[in-house]
């Protein structure tokens, strides 16, 4: 049977190297011990619907080729997200809404995983960046496929956050937008397959802490601590993709700057049901999770000024917010998984806390105790945890 690693905390992830998996998937007769290989894919799909955790899905995929193929079939709900901690430690979310103990994931040896930080994700792909102008790369967390990105080129440059317009598997449709600090100044850098170097874009409106997201062909930049939103149009010339025009969406004039005693703000963006949402945390006390209110607005970007509609419920969906990107998740496709929640990962504003917020009653709670995001001093330079959304 294919090797699967289990920790004392119960977390299991498929650590099979890509080459070995390719040989397993290539063909040939199943070994005699694989008596379950004949189970119909539809029946296995029903079983998988009761196994929302990636660790359990890994166990299923490890049985034989047929089960691995069935786990990738259509109609199978995606597993619950993972939180990727520094040094590529994965913590899986359980159906009860807490994080299981984190464990180190296998990474290709050619990557300097001990000195790289995750700065973004797209489905099961992670964006990694070395420190002080080191290598940049895309790596699939489970197939371990690696795609190199151009180096930043200087020791005075660091990649802080990245967003992808599409899966790297889509080829030229995938544009990587990176928020970088170079010579102590914030800049945007763009890259697409075929480009030999990053296309660096300077703009006076780039702040030290921003959120970035692709939406309907444009790149949106949001100031994290003041709700100012800017839309950047992307064009192409002989050197590759670049930013051609910027528009101030003027949303700050439509929002309350405070909510009574709640005067500290932290803002993020996420796409949900085809709409771009603005999520604002209002803190009464700096970094105090028990003194926070959350407001969510759907932004109508087709009007001038931008229209805002308050969202009071996500139905059976959940929202995951993190420094490396935010995403909605169809929690209602899994029995026993609660919806209408927002999971907040640690970031610059609140680096020591990971908590969940209920849209129904405004209550907050920790995702796990002790918090897995309490990192050692040696790991604090390796960035913040990133949410990961495997598809199988």
């Amino acid at each position: 049977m294919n090797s699967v690693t289990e920790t004392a905390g119960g977390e299991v992830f498929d650590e099979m190297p890509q080459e070995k998996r390719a040989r397993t998937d290539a063909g040939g007769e199943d070994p005699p011990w694989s008596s379950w290989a004949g189970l119909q894919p539809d029946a296995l799909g029903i079983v998988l619907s009761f196994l929302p955790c990636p660790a359990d899905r890994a166990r299923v995929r490890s049985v034989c080729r047929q089960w691995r193929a069935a786990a990738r079939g259509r109609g199978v709900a995606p597993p619950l997200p993972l939180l990727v901690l520094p040094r590529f430690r994965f913590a899986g979310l359980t159906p009860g809404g807490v994080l299981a103990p984190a464990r180190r994931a296998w990474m290709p040896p050619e990557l300097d995983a001990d000195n790289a930080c995750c700065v973004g994700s797209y489905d099961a792909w992670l964006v990694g960046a070395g420190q002080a102008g080191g290598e940049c790369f895309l790596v699939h967390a489970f197939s371990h496929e690696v795609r190199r990105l151009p180096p930043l080129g200087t020791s005075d440059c660091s990649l802080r956050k990245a967003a992808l317009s599409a899966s790297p598997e889509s080829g030229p449709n995938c544009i990587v937008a990176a928020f970088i600090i170079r010579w102590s100044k914030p800049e945007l850098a763009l890259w697409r397959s075929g480009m030999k170097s990053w296309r660096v874009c300077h703009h006076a409106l780039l702040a030290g802490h921003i959120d970035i997201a692709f939406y309907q062909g444009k790149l949106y930049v949001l100031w994290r601590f003041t709700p100012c939103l800017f839309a950047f149009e992307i064009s192409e010339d002989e050197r590759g993709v670049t930013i051609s025009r910027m528009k101030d969406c003027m949303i700050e004039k439509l929002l309350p700057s405070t909510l009574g005693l709640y005067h500290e703000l932290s803002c993020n963006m996420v796409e949900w049901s085809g709409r771009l949402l603005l999520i604002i945390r209002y803190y009464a006390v700096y970094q105090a999770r028990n003194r926070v209110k959350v407001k969510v607005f759907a932004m109508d970007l087709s009007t001038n000024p931008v229209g805002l509609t308050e969202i009071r419920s996500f139905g059976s969906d959940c929202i995951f917010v993190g420094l490396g990107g935010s995403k909605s998740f169809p929690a209602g496709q899994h029995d026993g998984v609660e919806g209408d929640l927002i999971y907040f990962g640690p970031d610059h504003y609140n680096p020591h806390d990971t908590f969940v917020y209920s849209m129904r009653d405004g209550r907050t709670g920790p995702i796990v105790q002790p918090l897995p995001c309490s990192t050692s001093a040696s790991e604090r330079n390796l960035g913040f945890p990133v949410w990961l959304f495997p598809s199988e």
Side-chain angles (χ1 to χ4, degrees), residues 277-300:
L277 303 185
L278 171 66
I279 299 178
I280 305 179
R281 282 169 279 175
Y282 294 88
Y283 287 88
V285 179
Y286 182 66
Q287 296 186 354
R289 184 208 335 130
N290 60 341
R291 300 291 301 278
V292 62
K293 290 183 179 294
V294 177
K295 292 289 186 179
V296 181
F297 301 91
M299 299 183 285
D300 184 355

PDB file of all heavy atoms in Angstrom, residues 277-300:
ATOM      1  N   LEU A 277     -16.590  41.150  -2.219  1.00  0.00           N
ATOM      2  CA  LEU A 277     -17.015  41.617  -0.915  1.00  0.00           C
ATOM      3  C   LEU A 277     -15.907  42.392  -0.220  1.00  0.00           C
ATOM      4  O   LEU A 277     -14.724  42.091  -0.380  1.00  0.00           O
ATOM      5  CB  LEU A 277     -17.419  40.440  -0.019  1.00  0.00           C
ATOM      6  CG  LEU A 277     -18.505  39.490  -0.515  1.00  0.00           C
ATOM      7  CD1 LEU A 277     -18.839  38.482   0.587  1.00  0.00           C
ATOM      8  CD2 LEU A 277     -19.748  40.229  -0.971  1.00  0.00           C
ATOM      9  N   LEU A 278     -16.311  43.348   0.568  1.00  0.00           N
ATOM     10  CA  LEU A 278     -15.432  44.085   1.466  1.00  0.00           C
ATOM     11  C   LEU A 278     -15.764  43.650   2.885  1.00  0.00           C
ATOM     12  O   LEU A 278     -16.904  43.774   3.329  1.00  0.00           O
ATOM     13  CB  LEU A 278     -15.635  45.596   1.312  1.00  0.00           C
ATOM     14  CG  LEU A 278     -14.932  46.501   2.327  1.00  0.00           C
ATOM     15  CD1 LEU A 278     -13.426  46.423   2.167  1.00  0.00           C
ATOM     16  CD2 LEU A 278     -15.416  47.938   2.188  1.00  0.00           C
ATOM     17  N   ILE A 279     -14.789  43.112   3.591  1.00  0.00           N
ATOM     18  CA  ILE A 279     -14.962  42.654   4.973  1.00  0.00           C
ATOM     19  C   ILE A 279     -14.160  43.576   5.881  1.00  0.00           C
ATOM     20  O   ILE A 279     -12.949  43.726   5.713  1.00  0.00           O
ATOM     21  CB  ILE A 279     -14.504  41.201   5.142  1.00  0.00           C
ATOM     22  CG1 ILE A 279     -15.338  40.279   4.230  1.00  0.00           C
ATOM     23  CG2 ILE A 279     -14.617  40.763   6.592  1.00  0.00           C
ATOM     24  CD1 ILE A 279     -14.920  38.824   4.301  1.00  0.00           C
ATOM     25  N   ILE A 280     -14.848  44.193   6.838  1.00  0.00           N
ATOM     26  CA  ILE A 280     -14.200  45.151   7.736  1.00  0.00           C
ATOM     27  C   ILE A 280     -14.370  44.665   9.171  1.00  0.00           C
ATOM     28  O   ILE A 280     -15.478  44.372   9.617  1.00  0.00           O
ATOM     29  CB  ILE A 280     -14.795  46.563   7.604  1.00  0.00           C
ATOM     30  CG1 ILE A 280     -14.734  47.039   6.153  1.00  0.00           C
ATOM     31  CG2 ILE A 280     -14.041  47.539   8.505  1.00  0.00           C
ATOM     32  CD1 ILE A 280     -15.323  48.422   5.938  1.00  0.00           C
ATOM     33  N   ARG A 281     -13.247  44.561   9.874  1.00  0.00           N
ATOM     34  CA  ARG A 281     -13.275  44.292  11.308  1.00  0.00           C
ATOM     35  C   ARG A 281     -13.098  45.611  12.049  1.00  0.00           C
ATOM     36  O   ARG A 281     -12.128  46.337  11.823  1.00  0.00           O
ATOM     37  CB  ARG A 281     -12.153  43.335  11.694  1.00  0.00           C
ATOM     38  CG  ARG A 281     -12.420  41.883  11.363  1.00  0.00           C
ATOM     39  CD  ARG A 281     -11.167  41.042  11.531  1.00  0.00           C
ATOM     40  NE  ARG A 281     -10.289  41.140  10.366  1.00  0.00           N
ATOM     41  CZ  ARG A 281      -9.095  40.580  10.291  1.00  0.00           C
ATOM     42  NH1 ARG A 281      -8.619  39.916  11.334  1.00  0.00           N
ATOM     43  NH2 ARG A 281      -8.369  40.680   9.202  1.00  0.00           N
ATOM     44  N   TYR A 282     -14.036  45.909  12.938  1.00  0.00           N
ATOM     45  CA  TYR A 282     -13.953  47.089  13.789  1.00  0.00           C
ATOM     46  C   TYR A 282     -13.589  46.628  15.195  1.00  0.00           C
ATOM     47  O   TYR A 282     -14.336  45.878  15.829  1.00  0.00           O
ATOM     48  CB  TYR A 282     -15.290  47.838  13.827  1.00  0.00           C
ATOM     49  CG  TYR A 282     -15.709  48.463  12.512  1.00  0.00           C
ATOM     50  CD1 TYR A 282     -16.445  47.742  11.582  1.00  0.00           C
ATOM     51  CD2 TYR A 282     -15.394  49.789  12.220  1.00  0.00           C
ATOM     52  CE1 TYR A 282     -16.854  48.313  10.391  1.00  0.00           C
ATOM     53  CE2 TYR A 282     -15.794  50.374  11.027  1.00  0.00           C
ATOM     54  CZ  TYR A 282     -16.527  49.628  10.117  1.00  0.00           C
ATOM     55  OH  TYR A 282     -16.935  50.196   8.937  1.00  0.00           O
ATOM     56  N   TYR A 283     -12.427  47.057  15.685  1.00  0.00           N
ATOM     57  CA  TYR A 283     -11.959  46.668  17.015  1.00  0.00           C
ATOM     58  C   TYR A 283     -12.170  47.814  17.996  1.00  0.00           C
ATOM     59  O   TYR A 283     -11.851  48.976  17.700  1.00  0.00           O
ATOM     60  CB  TYR A 283     -10.478  46.304  16.988  1.00  0.00           C
ATOM     61  CG  TYR A 283     -10.155  44.994  16.323  1.00  0.00           C
ATOM     62  CD1 TYR A 283      -9.926  44.915  14.952  1.00  0.00           C
ATOM     63  CD2 TYR A 283     -10.076  43.813  17.068  1.00  0.00           C
ATOM     64  CE1 TYR A 283      -9.623  43.710  14.343  1.00  0.00           C
ATOM     65  CE2 TYR A 283      -9.778  42.600  16.466  1.00  0.00           C
ATOM     66  CZ  TYR A 283      -9.551  42.561  15.106  1.00  0.00           C
ATOM     67  OH  TYR A 283      -9.256  41.370  14.511  1.00  0.00           O
ATOM     68  N   ALA A 284     -12.684  47.466  19.192  1.00  0.00           N
ATOM     69  CA  ALA A 284     -12.793  48.465  20.252  1.00  0.00           C
ATOM     70  C   ALA A 284     -11.477  48.627  20.993  1.00  0.00           C
ATOM     71  O   ALA A 284     -11.139  49.716  21.455  1.00  0.00           O
ATOM     72  CB  ALA A 284     -13.898  48.078  21.236  1.00  0.00           C
ATOM     73  N   VAL A 285     -10.748  47.534  21.113  1.00  0.00           N
ATOM     74  CA  VAL A 285      -9.442  47.536  21.769  1.00  0.00           C
ATOM     75  C   VAL A 285      -8.466  46.873  20.818  1.00  0.00           C
ATOM     76  O   VAL A 285      -8.773  45.836  20.226  1.00  0.00           O
ATOM     77  CB  VAL A 285      -9.479  46.788  23.119  1.00  0.00           C
ATOM     78  CG1 VAL A 285      -8.102  46.791  23.771  1.00  0.00           C
ATOM     79  CG2 VAL A 285     -10.513  47.420  24.041  1.00  0.00           C
ATOM     80  N   TYR A 286      -7.303  47.446  20.672  1.00  0.00           N
ATOM     81  CA  TYR A 286      -6.302  46.937  19.737  1.00  0.00           C
ATOM     82  C   TYR A 286      -6.045  45.451  19.959  1.00  0.00           C
ATOM     83  O   TYR A 286      -5.715  45.026  21.065  1.00  0.00           O
ATOM     84  CB  TYR A 286      -5.010  47.734  19.887  1.00  0.00           C
ATOM     85  CG  TYR A 286      -3.911  47.330  18.934  1.00  0.00           C
ATOM     86  CD1 TYR A 286      -4.051  47.523  17.570  1.00  0.00           C
ATOM     87  CD2 TYR A 286      -2.736  46.764  19.405  1.00  0.00           C
ATOM     88  CE1 TYR A 286      -3.051  47.169  16.687  1.00  0.00           C
ATOM     89  CE2 TYR A 286      -1.720  46.397  18.538  1.00  0.00           C
ATOM     90  CZ  TYR A 286      -1.885  46.608  17.176  1.00  0.00           C
ATOM     91  OH  TYR A 286      -0.899  46.249  16.317  1.00  0.00           O
ATOM     92  N   GLN A 287      -6.260  44.645  18.902  1.00  0.00           N
ATOM     93  CA  GLN A 287      -5.987  43.211  18.901  1.00  0.00           C
ATOM     94  C   GLN A 287      -6.868  42.421  19.864  1.00  0.00           C
ATOM     95  O   GLN A 287      -6.574  41.264  20.154  1.00  0.00           O
ATOM     96  CB  GLN A 287      -4.521  42.910  19.200  1.00  0.00           C
ATOM     97  CG  GLN A 287      -3.565  43.428  18.144  1.00  0.00           C
ATOM     98  CD  GLN A 287      -2.142  43.001  18.396  1.00  0.00           C
ATOM     99  OE1 GLN A 287      -1.830  42.402  19.413  1.00  0.00           O
ATOM    100  NE2 GLN A 287      -1.257  43.287  17.465  1.00  0.00           N
ATOM    101  N   ALA A 288      -7.981  42.987  20.354  1.00  0.00           N
ATOM    102  CA  ALA A 288      -8.845  42.262  21.284  1.00  0.00           C
ATOM    103  C   ALA A 288      -9.955  41.571  20.510  1.00  0.00           C
ATOM    104  O   ALA A 288     -10.889  42.219  20.044  1.00  0.00           O
ATOM    105  CB  ALA A 288      -9.417  43.219  22.327  1.00  0.00           C
ATOM    106  N   ARG A 289      -9.860  40.229  20.385  1.00  0.00           N
ATOM    107  CA  ARG A 289     -10.834  39.502  19.597  1.00  0.00           C
ATOM    108  C   ARG A 289     -12.240  39.576  20.197  1.00  0.00           C
ATOM    109  O   ARG A 289     -13.233  39.580  19.478  1.00  0.00           O
ATOM    110  CB  ARG A 289     -10.411  38.049  19.469  1.00  0.00           C
ATOM    111  CG  ARG A 289     -11.327  37.265  18.572  1.00  0.00           C
ATOM    112  CD  ARG A 289     -11.413  35.790  18.870  1.00  0.00           C
ATOM    113  NE  ARG A 289     -10.272  35.229  19.523  1.00  0.00           N
ATOM    114  CZ  ARG A 289     -10.379  34.486  20.618  1.00  0.00           C
ATOM    115  NH1 ARG A 289     -11.561  34.294  21.170  1.00  0.00           N
ATOM    116  NH2 ARG A 289      -9.317  33.961  21.164  1.00  0.00           N
ATOM    117  N   ASN A 290     -12.346  39.639  21.537  1.00  0.00           N
ATOM    118  CA  ASN A 290     -13.664  39.660  22.159  1.00  0.00           C
ATOM    119  C   ASN A 290     -14.323  41.028  22.074  1.00  0.00           C
ATOM    120  O   ASN A 290     -15.445  41.196  22.556  1.00  0.00           O
ATOM    121  CB  ASN A 290     -13.562  39.220  23.625  1.00  0.00           C
ATOM    122  CG  ASN A 290     -12.655  40.129  24.441  1.00  0.00           C
ATOM    123  OD1 ASN A 290     -11.841  40.849  23.883  1.00  0.00           O
ATOM    124  ND2 ASN A 290     -12.792  40.074  25.757  1.00  0.00           N
ATOM    125  N   ARG A 291     -13.655  41.981  21.460  1.00  0.00           N
ATOM    126  CA  ARG A 291     -14.232  43.322  21.267  1.00  0.00           C
ATOM    127  C   ARG A 291     -14.148  43.693  19.797  1.00  0.00           C
ATOM    128  O   ARG A 291     -13.527  44.683  19.414  1.00  0.00           O
ATOM    129  CB  ARG A 291     -13.486  44.352  22.129  1.00  0.00           C
ATOM    130  CG  ARG A 291     -13.507  44.103  23.613  1.00  0.00           C
ATOM    131  CD  ARG A 291     -14.889  44.309  24.219  1.00  0.00           C
ATOM    132  NE  ARG A 291     -15.372  45.669  23.986  1.00  0.00           N
ATOM    133  CZ  ARG A 291     -15.029  46.715  24.733  1.00  0.00           C
ATOM    134  NH1 ARG A 291     -14.177  46.548  25.740  1.00  0.00           N
ATOM    135  NH2 ARG A 291     -15.532  47.902  24.485  1.00  0.00           N
ATOM    136  N   VAL A 292     -14.794  42.884  18.963  1.00  0.00           N
ATOM    137  CA  VAL A 292     -14.734  43.111  17.531  1.00  0.00           C
ATOM    138  C   VAL A 292     -16.126  43.017  16.934  1.00  0.00           C
ATOM    139  O   VAL A 292     -16.956  42.208  17.375  1.00  0.00           O
ATOM    140  CB  VAL A 292     -13.784  42.096  16.837  1.00  0.00           C
ATOM    141  CG1 VAL A 292     -14.280  40.672  17.022  1.00  0.00           C
ATOM    142  CG2 VAL A 292     -13.630  42.400  15.353  1.00  0.00           C
ATOM    143  N   LYS A 293     -16.401  43.870  15.983  1.00  0.00           N
ATOM    144  CA  LYS A 293     -17.605  43.789  15.162  1.00  0.00           C
ATOM    145  C   LYS A 293     -17.164  43.632  13.707  1.00  0.00           C
ATOM    146  O   LYS A 293     -16.140  44.181  13.298  1.00  0.00           O
ATOM    147  CB  LYS A 293     -18.477  45.035  15.324  1.00  0.00           C
ATOM    148  CG  LYS A 293     -19.153  45.163  16.680  1.00  0.00           C
ATOM    149  CD  LYS A 293     -20.056  46.378  16.717  1.00  0.00           C
ATOM    150  CE  LYS A 293     -20.760  46.501  18.065  1.00  0.00           C
ATOM    151  NZ  LYS A 293     -21.700  45.388  18.302  1.00  0.00           N
ATOM    152  N   VAL A 294     -17.936  42.900  12.940  1.00  0.00           N
ATOM    153  CA  VAL A 294     -17.608  42.650  11.547  1.00  0.00           C
ATOM    154  C   VAL A 294     -18.749  43.131  10.665  1.00  0.00           C
ATOM    155  O   VAL A 294     -19.922  42.826  10.928  1.00  0.00           O
ATOM    156  CB  VAL A 294     -17.340  41.155  11.289  1.00  0.00           C
ATOM    157  CG1 VAL A 294     -17.063  40.909   9.805  1.00  0.00           C
ATOM    158  CG2 VAL A 294     -16.160  40.673  12.129  1.00  0.00           C
ATOM    159  N   LYS A 295     -18.416  43.889   9.650  1.00  0.00           N
ATOM    160  CA  LYS A 295     -19.379  44.332   8.647  1.00  0.00           C
ATOM    161  C   LYS A 295     -18.917  43.815   7.282  1.00  0.00           C
ATOM    162  O   LYS A 295     -17.722  43.852   6.962  1.00  0.00           O
ATOM    163  CB  LYS A 295     -19.477  45.855   8.611  1.00  0.00           C
ATOM    164  CG  LYS A 295     -20.106  46.474   9.853  1.00  0.00           C
ATOM    165  CD  LYS A 295     -21.597  46.196   9.920  1.00  0.00           C
ATOM    166  CE  LYS A 295     -22.251  46.930  11.073  1.00  0.00           C
ATOM    167  NZ  LYS A 295     -23.707  46.677  11.135  1.00  0.00           N
ATOM    168  N   VAL A 296     -19.862  43.346   6.485  1.00  0.00           N
ATOM    169  CA  VAL A 296     -19.564  42.817   5.156  1.00  0.00           C
ATOM    170  C   VAL A 296     -20.418  43.551   4.134  1.00  0.00           C
ATOM    171  O   VAL A 296     -21.633  43.690   4.317  1.00  0.00           O
ATOM    172  CB  VAL A 296     -19.835  41.300   5.090  1.00  0.00           C
ATOM    173  CG1 VAL A 296     -19.491  40.763   3.704  1.00  0.00           C
ATOM    174  CG2 VAL A 296     -19.053  40.563   6.163  1.00  0.00           C
ATOM    175  N   PHE A 297     -19.782  44.011   3.055  1.00  0.00           N
ATOM    176  CA  PHE A 297     -20.476  44.745   2.005  1.00  0.00           C
ATOM    177  C   PHE A 297     -20.159  44.128   0.649  1.00  0.00           C
ATOM    178  O   PHE A 297     -19.001  43.805   0.356  1.00  0.00           O
ATOM    179  CB  PHE A 297     -20.061  46.216   1.995  1.00  0.00           C
ATOM    180  CG  PHE A 297     -20.329  46.942   3.282  1.00  0.00           C
ATOM    181  CD1 PHE A 297     -19.353  47.004   4.275  1.00  0.00           C
ATOM    182  CD2 PHE A 297     -21.549  47.562   3.519  1.00  0.00           C
ATOM    183  CE1 PHE A 297     -19.589  47.660   5.465  1.00  0.00           C
ATOM    184  CE2 PHE A 297     -21.791  48.220   4.710  1.00  0.00           C
ATOM    185  CZ  PHE A 297     -20.811  48.274   5.682  1.00  0.00           C
ATOM    186  N   ALA A 298     -21.193  43.963  -0.177  1.00  0.00           N
ATOM    187  CA  ALA A 298     -20.997  43.603  -1.578  1.00  0.00           C
ATOM    188  C   ALA A 298     -20.813  44.890  -2.366  1.00  0.00           C
ATOM    189  O   ALA A 298     -21.594  45.836  -2.226  1.00  0.00           O
ATOM    190  CB  ALA A 298     -22.191  42.821  -2.101  1.00  0.00           C
ATOM    191  N   MET A 299     -19.760  44.934  -3.175  1.00  0.00           N
ATOM    192  CA  MET A 299     -19.431  46.148  -3.923  1.00  0.00           C
ATOM    193  C   MET A 299     -19.908  46.023  -5.369  1.00  0.00           C
ATOM    194  O   MET A 299     -19.544  45.077  -6.066  1.00  0.00           O
ATOM    195  CB  MET A 299     -17.923  46.402  -3.875  1.00  0.00           C
ATOM    196  CG  MET A 299     -17.401  46.619  -2.475  1.00  0.00           C
ATOM    197  SD  MET A 299     -15.628  47.019  -2.405  1.00  0.00           S
ATOM    198  CE  MET A 299     -14.930  45.393  -2.730  1.00  0.00           C
ATOM    199  N   ASP A 300     -20.737  46.978  -5.788  1.00  0.00           N
ATOM    200  CA  ASP A 300     -21.154  47.066  -7.185  1.00  0.00           C
ATOM    201  C   ASP A 300     -20.162  47.974  -7.904  1.00  0.00           C
ATOM    202  O   ASP A 300     -20.240  49.190  -7.830  1.00  0.00           O
ATOM    203  CB  ASP A 300     -22.576  47.625  -7.289  1.00  0.00           C
ATOM    204  CG  ASP A 300     -23.092  47.639  -8.720  1.00  0.00           C
ATOM    205  OD1 ASP A 300     -22.311  47.300  -9.651  1.00  0.00           O
ATOM    206  OD2 ASP A 300     -24.262  47.995  -8.930  1.00  0.00           O
TER     207      ASP A 300
END
